[in-house]
Amino acid sequence: MIKRIFIRQKAKQLTFRFKALLAITLSLFAFVGIPQVLAKPVNKPNIIIYVTDDQGLETLGIYGGKDVPTPHLDSFAKQGVYFTHAFASASSCAVSRANILSGQHGHVNGMYGHAHGKHHFSSFDNTLSLPNRLTQEGYRTARVGKYHLAPAEVYQFDQVLSGKTKSGFASGRSLVEMADEVMSFVKAEGEAGKQQPFFLYIAPNDPHRAAPHQFDKANSFGNRKGGYPGVKPFRQKPSEVGIPNYLPDLPQIRDEMVEFNESISRIDQGFGRLIQNLKQAGVFENTIILFLSDNGTPMPNAKTTLYDTGIRLPLLMHVPGIQRQGKIDDALVSWVDLTPTLLDLAGVKYKADSFNGRSFKTVLNGKNTDDFSEVYASHNFHEITMYYPMRAVRDKRYKLIWNIAHRLEYPTGWNVWDSSTNYAIRESGVTHLGQRLVQDYKFRAEYELYDLINDPLEVNNLAYRAKHQTTLNKYKNKIKQFVTQTQDPWAIKLIHE
């Protein structure tokens, strides 16, 4: 017994001596400058999402747009990366924004249509959004401009920056002022003087149509006489504008394109000012920046449709430390991929099965691009009165759209329907929207199958041609798998039929 006690005492003495020796050794290492593990926490990147309102792919020079000079956006794209095949997972403002910030499709997060006013759709209370996740990781968060989300507890930000600029204009329209005024948040320190990383969500109202919507005159698209502070005027004559390939050439449409293009120029100048400010503040290099739109241009045959004019959109990114630069054309990515990608880039752990999308960080480094070969999209409502559920799958060769309510006339979104462009189309008696028959736009088949290589404008429906039935069934099975895996309420229709 005494021997055991002696042994324990000797062991304690040796342990004490070892601890003392270890402490002295570590002190010497620190004195001579040998780095200590975990001496400094990892510096997480800042994150900015800049999401415009109704801006189609064709509006940027980097994507071949010729009507409006967009030098700041084009330069940003070339110095960072830009995707040629990036897609909204919905073609409606509120749903698309909810999908961006949740990483889930609208029928999964609960946002089936517009959130504001009488429409009153909202995400499920248990949805865990990007701002809420980043708050948990120690980020400061703020938003400015258009919100269009609900409930506020699900899409919560520490700060809501002023909706009015110092000049008294709406911050979502006076975009150079907006770029200046967000810098107070960017430069601020966090709690107890800590330099916390930040997440800033910037959502201009441009180039969305402005109220009131009038069928007998061109919409202003937020433009005003005298312009906005810091914005150089850009004004074309109606004869100078190009007509998008999905619209007819009518005088009223030219008048509206003049206004729309001025709004696009304002976006480019505002974004350019933001990048300039970030560089001057010394935070640009450690900031992930995304530029994108929620859905296509606010015109018939574009916004609210699942044609490429409604969902194929710009995606420009600045990501510190990645391997690729310039154009990325070998992967198809979706807005539901954005939240998991940003969390991955920020080093934030998450459960992959909590998202419908997935991180494309590997694509940014030139790897696993074959894994991103198809995307899915859906639509249920725009306004409460615009009910027309659709589901779609797209890869580089084919797109299949399932028009669930195909027996109904297609209901154009209200702010597009009640426009001088749409009124001119109705009253002129034109038979085509670009190359698409007006009749086919209004009254749709249950399935629309398009060969995107031979028919990029999606006007020749192959779904009911005998030689394409194998292809049709292949893509119908893809949609069936999609609605089943995402527990889409409309899965019951496919299963029973």
Side-chain angles (χ1 to χ4, degrees):
M1 182 70 178
I2 296 173
K3 187 174 182 180
R4 290 178 184 173
I5 294 173
F6 174 75
I7 292 171
R8 284 200 295 268
Q9 287 175 339
K10 292 296 289 182
K12 287 181 181 179
Q13 291 173 4
L14 289 172
T15 301
F16 176 79
R17 290 172 183 172
F18 174 76
K19 289 181 177 178
L21 180 61
L22 179 62
I24 294 169
T25 302
L26 290 175
S27 299
L28 288 171
F29 282 172
F31 178 77
V32 298
I34 296 177
Q36 298 180 46
V37 178
L38 299 180
K40 185 178 181 180
V42 176
N43 187 20
K44 289 186 178 295
N46 306 308
I47 299 172
I48 296 176
I49 297 180
Y50 196 104
V51 54
T52 59
D53 200 356
D54 298 358
Q55 183 172 8
L57 190 75
E58 71 278 6
T59 60
L60 272 67
I62 196 70
Y63 292 110
K66 298 178 180 178
D67 257 16
V68 187
T70 53
H72 300 102
L73 288 164
D74 297 346
S75 175
F76 177 79
K78 292 174 184 176
Q79 293 175 23
V81 295
Y82 65 101
F83 286 82
T84 61
H85 290 78
F87 298 86
S89 48
S91 188
S92 179
C93 309
V95 186
S96 184
R97 292 159 192 266
N99 297 358
I100 289 168
L101 293 180
S102 70
Q104 299 173 336
H105 290 279
H107 58 268
V108 178
N109 64 48
M111 187 71 81
Y112 285 93
H114 274 344
H116 66 284
K118 296 180 179 179
H119 315 294
H120 200 54
F121 289 103
S122 66
S123 290
F124 296 123
D125 292 342
N126 62 353
T127 303
L128 186 55
S129 70
L130 179 62
N132 291 26
R133 288 175 183 270
L134 291 177
T135 296
Q136 294 174 1
E137 294 294 321
Y139 275 72
R140 299 182 294 118
T141 64
R143 66 175 176 87
V144 62
K146 185 170 182 175
Y147 187 48
H148 236 41
L149 293 163
E153 294 77 16
V154 166
Y155 302 98
Q156 191 167 27
F157 292 81
D158 298 334
Q159 296 183 46
V160 179
L161 306 183
S162 176
K164 292 285 187 182
T165 66
K166 293 178 180 178
S167 299
F169 300 120
S171 56
R173 298 291 188 182
S174 187
L175 301 187
V176 169
E177 281 191 295
M178 176 195 274
D180 290 343
E181 293 178 13
V182 299
M183 294 307 294
S184 59
F185 168 77
V186 168
K187 295 176 181 179
E189 293 187 343
E191 296 178 2
K194 295 179 181 178
Q195 191 64 46
Q196 293 174 270
F198 66 80
F199 169 47
L200 178 58
Y201 179 76
I202 302 176
N205 293 94
D206 287 333
H208 194 283
R209 292 176 178 275
H213 308 139
Q214 297 173 279
F215 70 87
D216 58 346
K217 64 183 297 186
N219 192 271
S220 72
F221 292 90
N223 304 325
R224 59 179 297 276
K225 291 182 179 180
Y228 293 94
V231 177
K232 296 179 181 179
F234 176 81
R235 196 73 178 175
Q236 298 166 300
K237 297 177 182 177
S239 60
E240 296 173 335
V241 302
I243 299 297
N245 59 16
Y246 49 85
L247 290 174
D249 189 347
L250 296 171
Q252 295 91 335
I253 294 178
R254 286 187 171 275
D255 289 342
E256 288 225 304
M257 291 306 300
V258 168
E259 303 295 338
F260 178 78
N261 288 347
E262 182 175 336
S263 185
I264 295 296
S265 177
R266 189 161 57 246
I267 291 170
D268 181 72
Q269 295 180 58
F271 186 78
R273 181 64 156 260
L274 175 68
I275 299 304
Q276 175 185 321
N277 289 344
L278 294 172
K279 289 180 177 179
Q280 289 178 350
V283 298
F284 176 79
E285 292 302 330
N286 192 42
T287 302
I288 299 169
I289 305 168
L290 275 64
F291 177 93
L292 63 150
S293 174
D294 56 357
N295 50 248
T297 301
M299 295 287 181
N301 209 18
K303 181 179 179 177
T304 74
T305 78
L306 298 186
Y307 302 129
D308 274 11
T309 49
I311 61 172
R312 187 177 178 182
L313 301 171
L315 176 59
L316 322 178
M317 299 180 68
H318 169 260
V319 184
I322 62 169
Q323 300 299 312
R324 301 184 75 172
Q325 183 177 0
K327 181 167 65 175
I328 295 180
D329 60 1
D330 52 5
L332 282 74
V333 298
S334 166
W335 284 185
V336 294
D337 296 327
L338 296 179
T339 281
T341 299
L342 289 171
L343 293 175
D344 195 6
L345 290 168
V348 177
K349 294 181 179 180
Y350 60 86
K351 293 181 179 179
D353 61 4
S354 61
F355 302 116
N356 300 134
R358 57 206 173 111
S359 170
F360 54 79
K361 179 181 177 180
T362 55
V363 173
L364 296 172
N365 287 311
K367 302 175 182 178
N368 302 330
T369 56
D370 290 342
D371 293 343
F372 290 82
S373 59
E374 62 186 22
V375 292
Y376 293 84
S378 62
H379 181 88
N380 296 288
F381 292 87
H382 188 57
E383 299 95 355
I384 189 66
T385 53
M386 195 225 160
Y387 167 75
Y388 201 84
M390 302 177 281
R391 302 293 182 265
V393 57
R394 187 203 196 278
D395 56 26
K396 281 200 172 182
R397 179 66 189 270
Y398 290 103
K399 178 191 286 182
L400 179 65
I401 301 173
W402 177 33
N403 295 310
I404 301 168
H406 61 97
R407 294 180 179 87
L408 299 176
E409 180 177 347
Y410 182 77
T412 301
W414 182 252
N415 69 349
V416 176
W417 186 88
D418 192 22
S419 67
S420 60
T421 284
N422 198 50
Y423 184 76
I425 291 169
R426 296 200 310 267
E427 294 300 308
S428 68
V430 296
T431 58
H432 286 75
L433 300 175
Q435 294 185 26
R436 190 186 311 283
L437 284 167
V438 171
Q439 192 71 1
D440 289 346
Y441 176 76
K442 294 169 63 176
F443 300 98
R444 305 184 180 191
E446 182 176 8
Y447 289 99
E448 297 178 70
L449 176 66
Y450 298 108
D451 181 340
L452 300 169
I453 292 178
N454 297 306
D455 179 25
L457 298 182
E458 302 168 89
V459 294
N460 298 310
N461 185 6
L462 306 178
Y464 301 94
R465 299 184 187 182
K467 68 177 183 178
H468 294 286
Q469 292 309 295
T470 301
T471 301
L472 173 65
N473 289 330
K474 174 184 176 181
Y475 286 84
K476 284 173 70 173
N477 285 332
K478 287 179 179 288
I479 287 182
K480 184 176 181 179
Q481 185 178 21
F482 166 67
V483 299
T484 302
Q485 289 180 345
T486 59
Q487 299 181 12
D488 189 332
W490 281 109
I492 192 171
K493 181 174 174 62
L494 280 183
I495 292 170
H496 281 280
E497 290 182 352

